[in-house]
Amino acid sequence: MSNRRGEAVALAGLLAAAGITHLVRPGVYDPIVPRALPGPARFWTYASGVAELAVAAVVAHPSTRAAGGRAAAALFVAVLPANVRMAVDWRHRRPTKRAIAYGRVPLQVPLIWWALRVARADTAGRLSR
């Protein structure tokens, strides 16, 4: 497996795992849904899980990988408000929980970078063929 393909497979796996946990354990995610979103938090938890699974599938397939990488980057940007809310809401929790909540915010930067790298690598690979 090439490094480029391995990165894409790993990104697809991360997105799929996140999507599955949103659908199987929605109660973990409901409290961090931004209050500004209309409707029940559970809807947004399920919607984000379905979106993660869909983007994982697009990243996993070679013919749609570049678009999938861009979609993954957009998804990572879209969930940033939930991570910020978690950091704010968890600021008085135990240090371990605070560290998890605070760590999720800057983690979005390398995730976005990774997704864009997958998109660019696939586009460059197709152009060189």
Side-chain angles (χ1 to χ4, degrees):
M1 181 174 356
S2 73
N3 186 37
R4 182 179 15 226
R5 182 169 176 247
E7 280 192 51
V9 169
L11 179 60
L14 174 79
L15 288 161
I20 290 167
T21 61
H22 277 77
L23 300 176
V24 173
R25 302 274 318 243
V28 172
Y29 298 96
D30 290 346
I32 66 171
V33 172
R35 293 178 190 97
L37 292 174
R42 181 62 50 95
F43 167 79
W44 294 104
T45 297
Y46 284 148
S48 61
V50 169
E52 287 166 330
L53 289 170
V55 172
V58 176
V59 169
H61 197 278
S63 68
T64 57
R65 186 163 292 145
R70 290 187 299 275
L75 184 63
F76 293 140
V77 169
V79 301
L80 183 58
N83 291 331
V84 169
R85 173 157 180 212
M86 182 181 191
V88 170
D89 289 351
W90 287 26
R91 68 188 178 277
H92 299 297
R93 294 210 179 171
R94 293 182 293 123
T96 304
K97 294 233 180 203
R98 273 197 320 265
I100 290 167
Y102 293 166
R104 288 174 62 119
V105 175
L107 180 61
Q108 295 309 113
V109 173
L111 289 174
I112 293 165
W113 174 83
W114 182 18
L116 292 174
R117 179 179 158 98
V118 166
R120 280 191 303 269
D122 188 67
T123 302
R126 281 187 287 137
L127 292 176
S128 67
R129 288 183 210 147

mmCIF file of all heavy atoms in Angstrom, residues 1 17 19 26 39 41 43 45 54 58 68 75 83 85 99 106 110 116-118 125 127:
data_model
loop_
_atom_site.group_PDB
_atom_site.id
_atom_site.type_symbol
_atom_site.label_atom_id
_atom_site.label_comp_id
_atom_site.label_asym_id
_atom_site.label_seq_id
_atom_site.Cartn_x
_atom_site.Cartn_y
_atom_site.Cartn_z
ATOM 1 N N MET A 1 0.851 -1.171 0.000
ATOM 2 C CA MET A 1 0.000 0.000 0.000
ATOM 3 C C MET A 1 0.900 1.238 0.000
ATOM 4 O O MET A 1 1.801 1.360 0.810
ATOM 5 C CB MET A 1 -0.896 -0.016 1.254
ATOM 6 C CG MET A 1 -1.813 1.146 1.327
ATOM 7 S SD MET A 1 -3.055 1.214 2.654
ATOM 8 C CE MET A 1 -2.965 -0.242 3.570
ATOM 9 N N ALA A 17 -14.957 5.606 12.098
ATOM 10 C CA ALA A 17 -15.045 5.329 13.538
ATOM 11 C C ALA A 17 -15.812 6.439 14.250
ATOM 12 O O ALA A 17 -16.664 6.175 15.105
ATOM 13 C CB ALA A 17 -13.647 5.174 14.132
ATOM 14 N N GLY A 19 -18.022 8.462 12.915
ATOM 15 C CA GLY A 19 -19.423 8.371 12.500
ATOM 16 C C GLY A 19 -20.168 7.280 13.247
ATOM 17 O O GLY A 19 -21.303 7.489 13.706
ATOM 18 N N PRO A 26 -24.885 8.360 20.901
ATOM 19 C CA PRO A 26 -25.213 9.774 20.670
ATOM 20 C C PRO A 26 -25.237 10.620 21.940
ATOM 21 O O PRO A 26 -24.982 11.821 21.888
ATOM 22 C CB PRO A 26 -26.590 9.724 20.013
ATOM 23 C CG PRO A 26 -27.177 8.421 20.464
ATOM 24 C CD PRO A 26 -26.002 7.483 20.566
ATOM 25 N N GLY A 39 -33.481 23.013 16.352
ATOM 26 C CA GLY A 39 -33.915 21.635 16.540
ATOM 27 C C GLY A 39 -33.169 20.930 17.654
ATOM 28 O O GLY A 39 -32.298 21.500 18.303
ATOM 29 N N ALA A 41 -30.685 18.491 19.716
ATOM 30 C CA ALA A 41 -29.270 18.125 19.612
ATOM 31 C C ALA A 41 -29.105 16.732 19.001
ATOM 32 O O ALA A 41 -28.175 16.501 18.223
ATOM 33 C CB ALA A 41 -28.613 18.183 20.991
ATOM 34 N N PHE A 43 -30.726 15.262 16.687
ATOM 35 C CA PHE A 43 -30.748 15.336 15.225
ATOM 36 C C PHE A 43 -29.355 15.664 14.695
ATOM 37 O O PHE A 43 -28.864 15.035 13.759
ATOM 38 C CB PHE A 43 -31.741 16.397 14.737
ATOM 39 C CG PHE A 43 -31.575 16.710 13.277
ATOM 40 C CD1 PHE A 43 -32.096 15.866 12.312
ATOM 41 C CD2 PHE A 43 -30.855 17.828 12.872
ATOM 42 C CE1 PHE A 43 -31.902 16.138 10.958
ATOM 43 C CE2 PHE A 43 -30.656 18.104 11.532
ATOM 44 C CZ PHE A 43 -31.188 17.259 10.565
ATOM 45 N N THR A 45 -26.462 15.337 16.194
ATOM 46 C CA THR A 45 -25.519 14.256 16.490
ATOM 47 C C THR A 45 -25.620 13.174 15.423
ATOM 48 O O THR A 45 -24.603 12.737 14.871
ATOM 49 C CB THR A 45 -25.802 13.660 17.886
ATOM 50 O OG1 THR A 45 -25.600 14.682 18.861
ATOM 51 C CG2 THR A 45 -24.893 12.482 18.185
ATOM 52 N N ALA A 54 -20.468 9.186 5.374
ATOM 53 C CA ALA A 54 -20.512 9.487 3.943
ATOM 54 C C ALA A 54 -19.161 10.005 3.455
ATOM 55 O O ALA A 54 -18.656 9.572 2.405
ATOM 56 C CB ALA A 54 -21.617 10.503 3.654
ATOM 57 N N VAL A 58 -16.404 8.491 0.654
ATOM 58 C CA VAL A 58 -15.890 9.268 -0.473
ATOM 59 C C VAL A 58 -14.358 9.304 -0.439
ATOM 60 O O VAL A 58 -13.696 9.186 -1.474
ATOM 61 C CB VAL A 58 -16.499 10.690 -0.487
ATOM 62 C CG1 VAL A 58 -15.921 11.542 -1.590
ATOM 63 C CG2 VAL A 58 -18.018 10.607 -0.642
ATOM 64 N N GLY A 68 -13.307 13.890 -1.554
ATOM 65 C CA GLY A 68 -13.492 13.429 -0.188
ATOM 66 C C GLY A 68 -12.562 14.117 0.791
ATOM 67 O O GLY A 68 -12.957 14.464 1.903
ATOM 68 N N LEU A 75 -15.705 19.295 6.859
ATOM 69 C CA LEU A 75 -16.368 18.692 8.020
ATOM 70 C C LEU A 75 -15.605 19.003 9.301
ATOM 71 O O LEU A 75 -16.212 19.350 10.326
ATOM 72 C CB LEU A 75 -16.489 17.177 7.816
ATOM 73 C CG LEU A 75 -17.230 16.390 8.876
ATOM 74 C CD1 LEU A 75 -18.689 16.828 8.966
ATOM 75 C CD2 LEU A 75 -17.170 14.906 8.546
ATOM 76 N N ASN A 83 -16.450 21.535 19.364
ATOM 77 C CA ASN A 83 -15.254 21.326 20.183
ATOM 78 C C ASN A 83 -14.980 22.531 21.081
ATOM 79 O O ASN A 83 -14.558 22.373 22.225
ATOM 80 C CB ASN A 83 -14.054 21.013 19.297
ATOM 81 C CG ASN A 83 -14.187 19.660 18.634
ATOM 82 O OD1 ASN A 83 -14.815 18.762 19.163
ATOM 83 N ND2 ASN A 83 -13.617 19.524 17.465
ATOM 84 N N ARG A 85 -17.337 24.520 22.204
ATOM 85 C CA ARG A 85 -18.360 24.448 23.252
ATOM 86 C C ARG A 85 -17.965 23.440 24.326
ATOM 87 O O ARG A 85 -18.122 23.692 25.524
ATOM 88 C CB ARG A 85 -19.714 24.058 22.661
ATOM 89 C CG ARG A 85 -20.713 23.829 23.779
ATOM 90 C CD ARG A 85 -22.115 23.958 23.402
ATOM 91 N NE ARG A 85 -22.924 23.700 24.586
ATOM 92 C CZ ARG A 85 -24.097 23.150 24.541
ATOM 93 N NH1 ARG A 85 -24.658 22.837 23.402
ATOM 94 N NH2 ARG A 85 -24.765 22.944 25.658
ATOM 95 N N ALA A 99 -8.256 18.471 29.862
ATOM 96 C CA ALA A 99 -7.203 18.294 28.860
ATOM 97 C C ALA A 99 -7.778 17.705 27.571
ATOM 98 O O ALA A 99 -7.414 18.121 26.470
ATOM 99 C CB ALA A 99 -6.098 17.393 29.407
ATOM 100 N N PRO A 106 -7.372 22.524 19.236
ATOM 101 C CA PRO A 106 -6.230 22.639 18.322
ATOM 102 C C PRO A 106 -6.022 21.394 17.455
ATOM 103 O O PRO A 106 -5.374 21.473 16.408
ATOM 104 C CB PRO A 106 -5.034 22.870 19.249
ATOM 105 C CG PRO A 106 -5.467 22.356 20.574
ATOM 106 C CD PRO A 106 -6.964 22.549 20.633
ATOM 107 N N PRO A 110 -4.433 20.003 12.621
ATOM 108 C CA PRO A 110 -3.772 18.928 11.871
ATOM 109 C C PRO A 110 -4.762 18.017 11.134
ATOM 110 O O PRO A 110 -4.419 17.450 10.087
ATOM 111 C CB PRO A 110 -2.984 18.154 12.932
ATOM 112 C CG PRO A 110 -3.514 18.575 14.242
ATOM 113 C CD PRO A 110 -4.118 19.932 14.046
ATOM 114 N N LEU A 116 -6.703 17.924 3.670
ATOM 115 C CA LEU A 116 -6.288 18.662 2.470
ATOM 116 C C LEU A 116 -5.091 18.001 1.799
ATOM 117 O O LEU A 116 -4.982 17.986 0.568
ATOM 118 C CB LEU A 116 -5.979 20.115 2.823
ATOM 119 C CG LEU A 116 -7.197 20.947 3.232
ATOM 120 C CD1 LEU A 116 -6.764 22.328 3.702
ATOM 121 C CD2 LEU A 116 -8.214 21.034 2.101
ATOM 122 N N ARG A 117 -4.219 17.416 2.599
ATOM 123 C CA ARG A 117 -3.069 16.686 2.048
ATOM 124 C C ARG A 117 -3.552 15.477 1.239
ATOM 125 O O ARG A 117 -3.042 15.210 0.156
ATOM 126 C CB ARG A 117 -2.158 16.263 3.196
ATOM 127 C CG ARG A 117 -0.944 15.482 2.784
ATOM 128 C CD ARG A 117 -0.112 15.157 4.029
ATOM 129 N NE ARG A 117 0.732 14.030 3.816
ATOM 130 C CZ ARG A 117 2.020 14.123 3.500
ATOM 131 N NH1 ARG A 117 2.575 15.304 3.376
ATOM 132 N NH2 ARG A 117 2.740 13.033 3.322
ATOM 133 N N VAL A 118 -4.537 14.755 1.772
ATOM 134 C CA VAL A 118 -5.109 13.617 1.041
ATOM 135 C C VAL A 118 -5.728 14.098 -0.267
ATOM 136 O O VAL A 118 -5.536 13.492 -1.323
ATOM 137 C CB VAL A 118 -6.138 12.858 1.917
ATOM 138 C CG1 VAL A 118 -6.986 11.902 1.086
ATOM 139 C CG2 VAL A 118 -5.419 12.101 3.028
ATOM 140 N N GLY A 125 -1.534 12.917 -7.931
ATOM 141 C CA GLY A 125 -1.314 11.569 -8.446
ATOM 142 C C GLY A 125 -2.052 11.328 -9.759
ATOM 143 O O GLY A 125 -1.533 10.717 -10.677
ATOM 144 N N LEU A 127 -2.935 13.706 -11.895
ATOM 145 C CA LEU A 127 -2.382 14.582 -12.921
ATOM 146 C C LEU A 127 -1.080 14.028 -13.498
ATOM 147 O O LEU A 127 -0.752 14.277 -14.647
ATOM 148 C CB LEU A 127 -2.151 15.996 -12.348
ATOM 149 C CG LEU A 127 -3.410 16.761 -12.003
ATOM 150 C CD1 LEU A 127 -3.030 18.090 -11.353
ATOM 151 C CD2 LEU A 127 -4.293 16.999 -13.217
#
